[in-house]
Amino acid sequence: PVLNPCNSPLSRYLSASDVCTWYLNSCKDGRILTRVQIDENNLNGTLPNEIVSLDLLEILDVDGNLNINGTIPQEIGVLDQLFALDLDENMLNGPLPNSLYSATSL
């Protein structure tokens, strides 16, 4: 995995269990991930490009993970169900992806 826990005391996130059971994550029909909320979890690494394969994702909240770096995945704007995107308090850099400018639900 690209995002890694950094000795996080919040073991309720990023466990080996089904992602639908992670604290604050939500799934439709018990299997389709619609909410990823892993904020303030002391993660490090980069946001994986594979995040765009979560085509029914509505909420992505990774703020407050001061060691997340790199750029925002270029295709993130194709997530047409995404209405909440919280990426502040990270070390992300670079320009906003062009695809975000055409994201109609954000």
Side-chain angles (χ1 to χ4, degrees), residues 40 43 62-68 86-92:
E40 299 181 12
L43 298 174
V62 295
D63 84 288
N65 290 291
L66 301 176
N67 296 308
I68 292 179
D86 193 348
L87 302 173
D88 66 322
E89 295 185 48
N90 290 300
M91 298 301 292
L92 294 167

Side-chain angles (χ1 to χ4, degrees), residues 60-82:
L60 177 59
D61 182 356
V62 295
D63 84 288
N65 290 291
L66 301 176
N67 296 308
I68 292 179
N69 56 49
T71 60
I72 301 168
Q74 287 298 313
E75 296 81 20
I76 199 160
V78 303
L79 296 172
D80 58 0
Q81 301 297 311
L82 190 66

Side-chain angles (χ1 to χ4, degrees), residues 2-67:
V2 179
L3 291 178
N4 301 302
C6 294
N7 302 320
S8 176
L10 301 175
S11 61
R12 59 193 177 195
Y13 294 102
L14 298 178
S15 68
S17 64
D18 179 0
V19 295
C20 293
T21 64
W22 292 357
Y23 181 72
L24 293 177
N25 279 2
S26 298
C27 291
K28 279 187 181 174
D29 301 326
R31 59 182 177 81
I32 301 170
L33 194 59
T34 58
R35 177 181 178 162
V36 174
Q37 186 164 352
I38 50 177
D39 59 316
E40 299 181 12
N41 201 31
N42 201 27
L43 298 174
N44 69 28
T46 59
L47 290 175
N49 289 327
E50 291 81 6
I51 197 90
V52 302
S53 66
L54 300 172
D55 55 350
L56 295 178
L57 190 64
E58 298 171 348
I59 299 170
L60 177 59
D61 182 356
V62 295
D63 84 288
N65 290 291
L66 301 176
N67 296 308

